[in-house]
Amino acid sequence: MDITKDFNLTVGLRIREIREAMQMTRERFSELCGISDSFLAAVESGKKSITSKTLYKICQNANISADYLIFGNKNGFECDTVLELLRQMENSERNSAIRILTEFSTSLIRAKSQKHTG
């Protein structure tokens, strides 16, 4: 078993997961992070490893912790993904999304309180 290859593949798959959660093509994500799409494809497939500088660029531009990419700690991953999606929207789209999330959250709270009282 080659630990380096396994590690590269694990990190690459996590990067791909982040990119897909952000609903970005490989081309768009690589442009955002300042790397080539062919390099990103090689990273995502575990064929190439990334430098600390590239790790920084990916984390900075995807608003994700390096802790997740390296160790797999998902604390806050879902929230970071939602925040990044909101950040990419136009103001009117963002406002609509916030209204939808607020209404959804309020409905959940109401349902929980009715469940406990009923």
Side-chain angles (χ1 to χ4, degrees):
M1 176 171 78
D2 187 346
I3 291 177
T4 302
K5 273 188 169 181
D6 289 346
F7 180 73
N8 287 347
L9 181 58
T10 300
V11 170
L13 290 173
R14 288 179 185 145
I15 291 170
R16 181 178 180 180
E17 178 185 21
I18 290 165
R19 177 179 61 78
E20 289 176 347
M22 293 172 65
Q23 301 177 343
M24 286 193 178
T25 63
R26 190 174 286 132
E27 183 180 77
R28 173 72 181 109
F29 189 76
S30 62
E31 182 182 306
L32 178 72
C33 297
I35 57 177
S36 73
D37 54 339
S38 60
F39 178 69
L40 179 59
V43 168
E44 288 183 350
S45 65
K47 294 176 184 165
K48 297 232 177 186
S49 61
I50 58 175
T51 64
S52 56
K53 183 177 181 179
T54 301
L55 175 66
Y56 176 80
K57 286 180 186 180
I58 290 170
C59 292
Q60 188 75 15
N61 290 296
N63 194 28
I64 191 77
S65 169
D67 200 38
Y68 172 66
L69 290 179
I70 296 169
F71 299 109
N73 297 332
K74 280 196 166 190
N75 294 339
F77 173 71
E78 291 85 5
C79 291
D80 287 346
T81 302
V82 171
L83 290 173
E84 182 57 29
L85 289 171
L86 288 170
R87 188 174 69 82
Q88 294 173 25
M89 293 178 183
E90 300 289 327
N91 282 338
S92 62
E93 295 168 337
R94 186 179 311 111
N95 291 336
S96 295
I98 290 170
R99 279 194 302 275
I100 290 167
L101 288 170
T102 301
E103 191 61 39
F104 179 71
S105 177
T106 303
S107 296
L108 288 177
I109 291 168
R110 259 190 244 122
K112 284 180 184 178
S113 74
Q114 288 175 354
K115 183 179 175 182
H116 291 296
T117 59

